[in-house]
Amino acid sequence: MTVRLTLGQIEASADHAANRAAVTDVVREAAREGSDLVVLPEYASGYDPRAVGPAHAEPLDGPFVTLLRELAREHGLSVVAGTTLPGAAPARAVNAVVVAADDGEIAGVYRKVHLYDAFGVRESDTLEPGPADAAPVTFRVGDLTFGLLTCYDLRFPESARRAADAGAEALLVPAAWASGPLKADHWRTLLRARAIENTSAVVGVGLAGRGVTGRSLVATADGTVTLELDATPATATTTLDPAAITATRRTNPALANRRYTTTPR
């Protein structure tokens, strides 16, 4: 059976209560659309274009993740959203993606491995990376297994490949993709590339607002773009078809034909 999916391209700020209200609106709209899964951007809980760090962090039992769990249970759907967790040291936080299953339980927490130390930005000044050797985070919705990446991870093909090796048939990429020369083109190109090379559906959900790109996108396992938003806040609903992914993998058995594996560094 197909999985009905809602993308919530919200604009987040340092006002955590306002962000929670925006998330609530998206999930309620998704419920009206009959969705099975809602995907929200990186930093949906709190964002500052200058830097995100400990001042934005909330624990897993804090207001944001608690809201995700309550909304998921209330509406009987799964919710995926980027948040910021406290780090091991007071001067650092953790960029994370949390999965709230339709029963309200936490089905997965992915801690971003590749920090955005590029293009003149240094996330590592305020954030600590997730462990590179952690098992890929996957979860099931209906007849599809989903895997998680976050933003800058998209530039590292091995991140997506490890998720595919762990059974992912669709990849979710919450992001606050920085704007700038060629950035929107890179975002679109890399999302399609990860879909094609892993014969997996790919869903990229970008944060809207100042300094970021938005432009959420859904690509099928052969790289066809079936949904694409502009840079402004928006909500959109589509479907993913497990049978279509299976058919693509049968026609293009690239995962079976490859001769190399990926290992943590």
Side-chain angles (χ1 to χ4, degrees):
M1 295 180 63
T2 59
V3 173
R4 196 155 175 80
L5 169 77
T6 294
L7 288 65
Q9 184 173 286
I10 64 170
E11 181 174 356
S13 70
D15 185 341
H16 289 209
N19 299 336
R20 292 195 297 273
V23 167
T24 299
D25 289 344
V26 171
V27 175
R28 286 176 177 167
E29 180 175 341
R32 290 192 294 270
E33 292 284 344
S35 290
D36 307 296
L37 173 64
V38 179
V39 186
L40 293 143
E42 180 183 30
Y43 295 137
S45 61
Y47 180 66
D48 184 330
R50 296 168 296 182
V52 176
H56 301 89
E58 299 180 9
L60 285 173
D61 60 357
F64 185 74
V65 176
T66 297
L67 174 68
L68 298 184
R69 297 178 65 187
E70 290 172 348
L71 290 170
R73 182 170 53 247
E74 176 185 354
H75 296 290
L77 45 71
S78 297
V79 183
V80 173
T83 188
T84 308
L85 304 176
R92 295 288 188 278
V94 175
N95 184 332
V97 176
V98 175
V99 182
D102 59 6
D103 61 0
E105 295 302 311
I106 295 176
V109 179
Y110 169 69
R111 292 165 171 83
K112 186 179 181 183
V113 171
H114 296 98
L115 297 184
Y116 185 52
D117 286 1
F119 296 95
V121 178
R122 283 188 55 82
E123 269 191 334
S124 61
D125 286 345
T126 56
L127 300 175
E128 62 187 44
D133 59 353
V137 176
T138 63
F139 64 98
R140 192 87 171 164
V141 175
D143 292 333
L144 273 179
T145 299
F146 291 85
L148 296 176
L149 312 178
T150 310
C151 202
Y152 192 47
D153 288 328
L154 186 63
R155 292 185 180 271
F156 301 89
E158 57 273 19
S159 292
R161 181 54 54 85
R162 289 187 78 229
D165 282 348
E169 301 153 299
L171 303 171
L172 304 180
V173 191
W177 197 263
S179 57
L182 294 176
K183 288 299 192 64
D185 180 62
H186 287 188
W187 166 248
R188 191 179 199 274
T189 300
L190 291 167
L191 288 168
R192 294 189 64 231
R194 299 296 86 84
I196 294 165
E197 68 199 9
N198 292 292
T199 53
S200 300
V202 171
V203 179
V205 181
L207 194 68
R210 183 165 66 92
V212 287
T213 302
R215 302 189 182 279
S216 299
L217 180 151
V218 177
T220 61
D222 64 2
T224 301
V225 175
T226 58
L227 186 155
E228 191 167 10
L229 302 179
D230 62 18
T232 58
T235 302
T237 298
T238 187
T239 57
L240 299 180
D241 186 356
I245 296 170
T246 299
T248 297
R249 290 183 169 186
R250 187 180 301 117
T251 302
N252 174 21
L255 292 175
N257 290 344
R258 65 201 169 98
R259 301 294 298 275
Y260 299 98
T261 60
T262 60
T263 56
R265 178 178 169 183

